[in-house]
């Protein structure tokens, strides 16, 4: 099934970071307040590195270095 209407983007309005630990170790938690509500993302080291790399790739395209 293909969606005909494009979903509105989640516009971030506020960011919070924290960490939690369980038996497997620590996870980072990125909480983003958006125009549609809260979005919580749990990150291990590899996921956090991927986000940092993605941001590094996006920033020059936004005219900010």
């Amino acid at each position: 099934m293909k969606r005909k209407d494009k979903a509105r983007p989640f516009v971030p309005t506020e960011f919070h970071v924290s960490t939690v630990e369980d038996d497997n170790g620590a996870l980072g938690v990125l909480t983003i307040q958006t125009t549609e509500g809260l979005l919580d993302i749990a990150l291990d080291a590899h996921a956090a590195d991927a986000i940092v790399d993605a941001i590094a790739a996006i920033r020059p395209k936004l005219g900010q270095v």
Side-chain angles (χ1 to χ4, degrees):
M1 174 194 298
K2 285 193 171 187
R3 185 179 189 140
K4 293 182 181 185
D5 295 329
K6 199 172 191 181
R8 291 178 26 168
F10 290 111
V11 179
T13 59
E14 194 174 316
F15 293 89
H16 295 274
V17 293
S18 61
T19 56
V20 294
E21 285 196 45
D22 65 7
D23 295 338
N24 296 323
L27 286 176
V29 178
L30 174 62
T31 300
I32 305 170
Q33 177 69 46
T34 74
T35 51
E36 299 293 321
L38 282 177
L39 176 62
D40 287 323
I41 304 169
L43 304 167
D44 63 6
H46 296 290
D49 288 341
I51 288 177
V52 169
D53 292 344
I55 291 169
I58 291 169
R59 287 191 82 173
K61 295 176 183 177
L62 298 174
Q64 301 173 3
V65 178

